[in-house]
């Protein structure tokens, strides 16, 4: 039976009541938005000082059922709290995005990915049903059988079709440890070929692979990071202190072996926000020694980014040092696996950002997800790059180059950061008439922003 206290269900009911009350308090001519203290979006957003939706009561795990391997989860629950609730049962969400403060609802409406995605797809594929607050002020059940058009269009809608109040998701069994093999490649083509073989067979050199991602440092130094679950006790590494996970991957040749607890494996990227903590000096040993451990996490670096965006600190420093301002290039793109080496080589030749993260994915089923249409039975590679470059001759110059190249290679770009598509290009890539039909049905008065307005116009 489901493991949940009466208090947890009562708290959820009260949270829904407060959410609906806050919705009704927003003037009919005002756009509806979330009132929450954190975000994992890099898009610039217009300042809005009006009232927002009260989601403070929707941040918890409602129930875990170890027998059916499912969980009922409030929409604003972070993966940090979700994993903390499931691991004691030896269970995990099928895909756990890399950063602790990503919410389950956010990963479903905005996409998420991780090293289990080559076998488990994307987070929305493990959702069995959702309760969604729609633009009419109703909370509707959405599943493959109830309001199926809303269920299918919700992923990648970024809150423009509604907000998830509750999600019921599948879980999978996990073992206490993850044994790691970091395999070095001197060729992008060889690395991608090995990745494709692992996706097909589920193993490498005869050993099972449960988790698969990679890091490219240069065109002739790339790594596949292969994880295998293990129940065997033994020494484990710790990358929450002085040691830095991504630096541990590098070695001279062949394979390098490592071990982590399943908990530390799932959050291995969060301590240093992949490698982005170096921008704050947090990887300098002299600074790191005095940097409180509780602030070595993505949510704190996010606060520093917020201060920078608010006061233009970085650009002011560039100008003071006689350098041009910088363009933010923070993106995740999906490229078909047979075009991945081509894209990465182009990127390394044209964009001065390194390292680059690679994470393969393959949809689990035949489901049609119209706002992010990846082909079933085809492998893609998520390529993540997160930094800045000197500004070009026009606003978003480098981002526009990347968008064009991704489209030329039949790929897609996630919408959590800056986008520069024309309305026509955007419609072709992100749902077009299907989105407009669902929008009209479930948000007839446009209480939520339109997806193009939210993702491209940066409102």
């Amino acid at each position: 039976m489901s493991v949940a206290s009466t208090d947890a269900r009562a708290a959820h009911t009260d949270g829904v009541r407060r959410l609906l009350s806050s919705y009704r308090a927003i003037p009919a001519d005002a756009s509806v938005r979330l009132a929450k203290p954190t975000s994992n979006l890099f898009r610039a957003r217009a300042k809005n000082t009006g009232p927002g939706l009260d989601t403070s009561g929707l941040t918890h795990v409602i129930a875990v059922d170890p027998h059916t391997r499912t969980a009922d989860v409030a929409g604003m629950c972070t993966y940090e709290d979700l994993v903390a609730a499931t691991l004691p049962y030896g269970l995990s969400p099928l895909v756990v995005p890399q950063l602790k403060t990503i919410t389950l609802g956010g990963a479903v409406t905005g996409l998420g990915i991780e090293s289990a995605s080559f076998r488990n797809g994307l987070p929305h594929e493990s959702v069995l049903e959702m309760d969604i607050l729609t633009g009419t002020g109703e909370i509707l059940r959405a599943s493959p059988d109830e309001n199926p058009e809303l269920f299918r269009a919700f992923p990648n809608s970024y809150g423009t079709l509604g907000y998830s109040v509750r999600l019921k998701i599948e879980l999978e069994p996990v073992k206490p440890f993850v044994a790691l093999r970091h395999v070095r490649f001197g060729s992008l083509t060889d690395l991608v070929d090995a990745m494709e073989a692992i996706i097909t067979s589920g193993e490498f050199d005869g050993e099972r692979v449960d988790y698969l991602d990679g890091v490219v440092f240069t065109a002739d130094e790339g790594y596949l990071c292969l994880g295998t679950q293990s129940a065997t006790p033994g020494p484990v590494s710790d990358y929450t202190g002085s040691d830095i996970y991504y630096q541990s991957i590098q070695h001279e040749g062949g394979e390098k072996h490592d071990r982590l607890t399943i908990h530390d494996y799932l959050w291995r990227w969060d301590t240093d926000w992949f490698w982005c903590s170096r921008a704050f000096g947090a990887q300098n040993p002299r600074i790191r020694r005095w940097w409180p451990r509780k602030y070595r996490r993505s949510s704190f670096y996010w606060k520093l980014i917020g201060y920078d965006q608010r006061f233009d600190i970085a650009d002011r420093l560039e100008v003071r040092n006689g350098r041009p301002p910088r363009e933010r290039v923070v993106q995740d793109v999906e490229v078909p696996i047979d075009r991945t080496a081509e894209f990465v080589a182009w990127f390394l030749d044209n964009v001065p950002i390194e390292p680059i993260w690679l994470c393969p994915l393959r949809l689990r089923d035949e489901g049609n997800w119209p706002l992010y249409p990846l082909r079933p039975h085809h492998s893609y590679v998520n390529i993540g790059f997160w930094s800045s470059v000197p500004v070009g001759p026009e606003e978003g110059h480098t981002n526009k180059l990347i968008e064009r190249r991704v489209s030329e290679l039949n790929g897609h770009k996630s919408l959590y950061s800056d986008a520069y598509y024309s309305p026509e290009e955007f419609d072709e890539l992100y749902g077009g008439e299907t989105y407009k039909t669902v929008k009209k049905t479930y948000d007839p008065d446009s209480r939520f922003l339109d997806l193009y307005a939210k993702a491209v116009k940066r409102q």
Side-chain angles (χ1 to χ4, degrees), residues 221-237:
E221 186 190 0
Y223 300 85
L224 289 183
C225 303
L226 318 178
T228 301
Q229 294 182 30
S230 172
T232 305
V236 292
S237 298

Side-chain angles (χ1 to χ4, degrees), residues 406-443:
V406 169
S407 293
E408 290 168 358
L409 299 177
N410 298 317
H412 286 80
K413 182 176 108 167
S414 297
L415 295 175
Y416 71 86
S417 191
D418 300 312
Y420 295 89
Y421 297 107
S422 69
E424 296 75 21
E425 291 173 311
F426 192 85
D427 278 354
E428 184 177 350
L429 292 168
Y430 299 104
E433 290 303 318
T434 300
Y435 171 76
K436 293 174 184 177
T437 298
V438 177
K439 176 76 168 172
K440 186 175 181 180
T441 301
Y442 294 96
D443 186 19

Side-chain angles (χ1 to χ4, degrees), residues 43 173 198 265 370 456:
R43 291 190 239 104
I198 294 168
Y265 176 80
V456 181

Side-chain angles (χ1 to χ4, degrees), residues 5-281:
S5 67
T6 302
D7 288 346
R9 296 194 182 279
H12 182 71
T13 299
D14 184 60
V16 172
R17 179 189 59 77
R18 298 207 308 268
L19 174 77
L20 291 172
S21 178
S22 65
Y23 178 91
R24 298 181 186 116
I26 299 173
D29 59 350
S31 294
V32 177
R33 65 180 184 86
L34 293 180
K36 63 172 188 169
T38 62
S39 172
N40 282 283
L41 296 179
F42 271 90
R43 291 190 239 104
R45 295 176 293 278
K47 293 181 180 178
N48 190 335
T49 57
L53 294 175
D54 180 359
T55 60
S56 60
L58 302 173
T59 62
H60 49 280
V61 176
I62 304 165
V64 176
D65 190 330
H67 302 293
T68 62
R69 296 175 182 170
T70 60
D72 274 308
V73 187
M76 295 298 296
C77 179
T78 66
Y79 272 93
E80 181 175 24
D81 291 339
L82 176 53
V83 166
T86 63
L87 281 187
Y89 300 102
L91 298 170
S92 168
L94 269 63
V95 178
V96 179
Q98 313 88 342
L99 306 180
K100 292 179 176 179
T101 56
I102 293 175
T103 63
L104 177 60
V108 170
T109 195
L111 302 186
I113 194 168
E114 233 296 322
S115 58
S117 288
F118 79 101
R119 57 184 176 84
N120 286 340
L122 298 174
H124 58 265
E125 294 188 271
S126 62
V127 176
L128 301 173
E129 63 183 29
M130 294 179 276
D131 293 339
I132 298 174
L133 173 65
T134 67
T136 62
E138 302 173 278
I139 293 179
L140 298 179
R141 179 71 47 83
S143 73
D145 301 315
E146 296 180 79
N147 299 299
E149 65 281 3
L150 177 61
F151 181 78
R152 291 293 178 187
F154 194 74
N156 210 46
S157 63
Y158 283 92
T160 64
L161 297 177
Y163 292 102
S164 55
V165 173
R166 179 192 66 89
L167 305 96
K168 184 174 183 178
I169 63 169
E170 298 176 69
L171 304 172
E172 69 174 4
V174 291
K175 295 178 181 177
F177 305 99
V178 176
L180 289 168
R181 289 178 287 167
H182 303 310
V183 185
R184 178 169 176 159
F185 293 86
S187 156
L188 295 173
T189 300
D190 290 346
L191 183 150
V192 173
D193 286 348
M195 180 184 286
E196 189 166 22
I198 294 168
I199 296 170
T200 301
S201 67
E203 60 181 39
F204 181 78
D205 282 351
E207 293 186 33
R208 188 184 76 254
V209 175
D210 297 316
Y211 303 107
L212 173 63
D213 64 352
V215 180
V216 171
F217 290 88
T218 66
D220 55 7
E221 186 190 0
Y223 300 85
L224 289 183
C225 303
L226 318 178
T228 301
Q229 294 182 30
S230 172
T232 305
V236 292
S237 298
D238 178 6
Y239 296 107
T240 64
S242 60
D243 294 332
I244 297 168
Y245 175 71
Y246 85 94
Q247 293 178 354
S248 76
I249 293 170
Q250 292 182 277
H251 59 276
E252 287 302 316
E255 293 188 17
K256 181 179 180 181
H257 294 256
D258 201 353
R259 277 171 51 89
L260 293 170
T261 65
I262 181 65
H263 175 276
D264 285 356
Y265 176 80
L266 294 175
W267 301 127
R268 68 200 182 286
W269 292 121
D270 188 85
T271 302
D272 284 283
W273 208 1
F274 284 83
W275 33 83
C276 296
S277 67
R278 63 187 179 185
F280 311 109

